[in-house]
Amino acid sequence: MELNIFVPEYVDTTTLDKCFLDKDANFIPIQSEAFLPEEKLKTLDKFIVLEKDHFKVFFYCSKPYECNYQSRNAIMYETKYGYYRTKFEYKFPIENGLRLVKQPPMHYFVRSGNSDTLLYNNATEANTIVEYFDSDDDMDLARFVEAVKSKPHCVQKYFIVNRGNEYRAVETDNVKNTYVFSSRLKYRIVSTLASGEATIETFVEEDKNLENKLAKPERLSGFKLRDSEGNVVSDGEVFALQILGNQDGYESDKELQFPQNLTKKMRMFYGKDWVDIIAFRDSYPNNFLFGHLDSGVTFTCETIDDIVYLKHKDKYLYNDPKSEFKHINFGNYVPTKEQRIQIHYNNDGNIMLTAWGGRVYAACNWVKGSCGSITFDDIEEQLRWGSPMSLRIVRI
């Protein structure tokens, strides 16, 4: 669905900052005296009318929102894909009589041949302005700096250069200070650079520390399963496994009251530091582990040839290295070497899991209000910013 933008005869669109969504917009010249918005609303739910120093958004209503050109792409994004006037009003408060995003837009410079690879309905690209360059030979950082500094209404400290899946953050006052990243990381990096929460040095330092977040593949000889107090768990002894509740950045719910605006995840952990693991499905092909609240599911361990295997009932936990989902499954047979789960101790005596000889810890991502998907997820953002799943052994 194209967004219709009506352009009166007195508005020169060449003077406007370019926006990603211009490529999906239909700019329609009009004669201002003959244009009747009320008539257009009979056939169009939403459209935009440009003015010299602002623009108007007609959003399911004949009374328009008057908006600042600084946030044109973000407002076009919400106009095209949004449905609720209350959300529009919340996202774009009024300042000096015009609606806008209070945070300045990030300036992108995009190689023209890659412009169609960007998702214009992606939140990362919403609050932006853009200029295109034809080829790598035209990637003139000095010229880009001049363009950014000529637009004081955009982010001044950094700008973004995009070439396909490669994104490069560049410091305006020192173009040698750059940071290259992929599209998987762009939302976190672009948004925190724009807000001032991070600098290029933040992500350079994260790169240096990434190795420390990976598991050591070496196996301890004579390994014994122990609870958090250091006591050996014997083969066949029944125990529960519990997931650390606030490991992924949520503040402890014990410090919170229980207001209505708590997220489902925070409600689930309200008053709890840990929740149980459950074998969510016990039938093929969905025989994998999930995190769940107060499941009551129990586990045991079994030592075979000096290898400790975790079990649920009479089934062994294993990893399928060929599976794209990277779940922890359970089956009726002793796992092969490639399918084994390796157990690691962390500093507090609790355990974390990897594939056998693997370096990526299992993580629990809470995809529903009461269920967490447990996977060996090696995507970039999980390795960089995610938290590994810490498990506590609780004897029954």
Side-chain angles (χ1 to χ4, degrees):
M1 180 189 71
E2 284 191 332
L3 178 63
N4 289 298
I5 299 177
F6 296 99
V7 186
E9 69 279 3
Y10 50 79
V11 175
D12 181 4
T13 56
T14 64
T15 63
L16 303 179
D17 291 330
K18 293 181 177 64
C19 295
F20 283 123
L21 274 170
D22 288 345
K23 297 172 70 68
D24 286 344
N26 187 22
F27 288 82
I28 305 170
I30 59 171
Q31 292 298 314
S32 56
E33 293 183 359
F35 183 75
L36 299 174
E38 295 79 6
E39 290 298 314
K40 287 296 177 185
L41 283 168
K42 293 178 180 179
T43 56
L44 295 173
D45 292 327
K46 300 178 286 187
F47 58 87
I48 289 173
V49 178
L50 303 183
E51 298 292 344
K52 283 186 175 180
D53 56 359
H54 69 282
F55 63 100
K56 297 176 180 178
V57 175
F58 290 83
F59 198 95
Y60 300 113
C61 183
S62 59
K63 184 179 180 180
Y65 296 116
E66 297 191 347
C67 304
N68 193 316
Y69 273 117
Q70 168 182 309
S71 304
R72 185 166 71 89
N73 196 75
I75 292 173
M76 288 170 63
Y77 171 92
E78 185 62 29
T79 303
K80 182 177 175 66
Y81 298 105
Y83 294 97
Y84 304 105
R85 289 175 60 86
T86 52
K87 183 178 179 181
F88 187 101
E89 292 167 3
Y90 172 79
K91 292 182 70 172
F92 308 114
I94 297 174
E95 189 172 290
N96 297 323
L98 300 176
R99 293 191 177 274
L100 80 167
V101 181
K102 290 191 174 182
Q103 182 174 294
M106 179 66 81
H107 203 314
Y108 273 60
F109 296 89
V110 177
R111 188 169 59 186
S112 298
N114 302 120
S115 61
D116 290 334
T117 65
L118 290 164
L119 298 175
Y120 305 121
N121 61 339
N122 186 298
T124 309
E125 274 80 54
N127 190 26
T128 56
I129 57 179
V130 63
E131 289 187 25
Y132 299 96
F133 59 96
D134 293 332
S135 66
D136 289 349
D137 293 337
D138 297 320
M139 196 177 75
D140 185 344
L141 296 183
R143 180 172 65 83
F144 295 169
V145 168
E146 290 181 6
V148 171
K149 290 189 174 183
S150 71
K151 300 171 184 177
H153 53 278
C154 73
V155 173
Q156 291 293 293
K157 188 171 180 59
Y158 301 106
F159 59 89
I160 305 296
V161 179
N162 168 247
R163 298 183 296 174
N165 189 47
E166 179 192 282
Y167 292 78
R168 182 184 300 269
V170 183
E171 184 177 349
T172 309
D173 291 332
N174 178 14
V175 295
K176 292 183 179 180
N177 188 22
T178 69
Y179 184 76
V180 177
F181 54 97
S182 72
S183 59
R184 296 300 300 260
L185 304 180
K186 68 176 179 177
Y187 179 77
R188 175 77 166 258
I189 290 177
V190 172
S191 60
T192 54
L193 287 176
S195 67
E197 298 172 61
T199 65
I200 285 176
E201 289 72 23
T202 302
F203 304 113
V204 172
E205 192 64 26
E206 284 183 354
D207 287 345
K208 296 177 181 177
N209 293 329
L210 192 57
E211 177 70 18
N212 296 329
K213 300 188 72 174
L214 299 174
K216 303 296 186 291
E218 297 80 10
R219 177 175 172 264
L220 297 175
S221 60
F223 181 91
K224 299 290 185 182
L225 186 64
R226 300 175 184 273
D227 62 21
S228 58
E229 296 178 356
N231 301 311
V232 173
V233 179
S234 302
D235 287 4
E237 187 174 357
V238 180
F239 57 89
L241 288 174
Q242 296 185 322
I243 306 173
L244 178 61
N246 59 359
Q247 62 187 6
D248 55 358
Y250 289 95
E251 55 187 315
S252 172
D253 293 327
K254 289 183 177 179
E255 299 173 2
L256 295 169
Q257 296 180 352
F258 198 42
Q260 293 299 312
N261 63 351
L262 283 182
T263 65
K264 289 181 179 179
K265 164 69 165 40
M266 294 171 73
R267 287 174 184 272
M268 187 175 66
F269 282 111
Y270 179 72
K272 298 176 180 292
D273 289 326
W274 302 80
V275 296
D276 292 348
I277 280 186
I278 183 173
F280 188 63
R281 294 288 175 89
D282 196 5
S283 60
Y284 184 85
N286 295 317
N287 54 347
F288 50 82
L289 293 185
F290 258 71
H292 197 275
L293 178 64
D294 295 334
S295 67
V297 170
T298 58
F299 298 84
T300 60
C301 67
E302 181 178 345
T303 306
I304 304 174
D305 296 331
D306 202 31
I307 305 294
V308 176
Y309 297 91
L310 295 174
K311 299 179 68 175
H312 168 59
K313 297 182 178 178
D314 59 346
K315 297 183 178 182
Y316 297 87
L317 274 63
Y318 73 93
N319 160 61
D320 183 356
K322 298 179 181 179
S323 171
E324 62 176 311
F325 300 108
K326 303 176 182 177
H327 289 132
I328 296 178
N329 305 297
F330 50 94
N332 296 318
Y333 56 89
V334 177
T336 64
K337 181 177 181 180
E338 292 75 18
Q339 295 176 325
R340 292 173 188 162
I341 302 295
Q342 188 165 341
I343 304 169
H344 304 258
Y345 290 110
N346 57 19
N347 293 333
D348 59 7
N350 296 305
I351 64 172
M352 296 187 289
L353 307 177
T354 67
W356 192 258
R359 306 209 60 197
V360 178
Y361 290 113
C364 185
N365 297 304
W366 297 94
V367 294
K368 294 184 178 180
S370 60
C371 295
S373 174
I374 298 172
T375 62
F376 298 114
D377 199 343
D378 60 356
I379 59 174
E380 289 181 271
E381 57 265 45
Q382 176 63 38
L383 293 178
R384 184 180 288 266
W385 299 306
S387 298
M389 178 180 64
S390 181
L391 298 174
R392 179 171 66 176
I393 295 174
V394 180
R395 297 170 185 270
I396 302 301

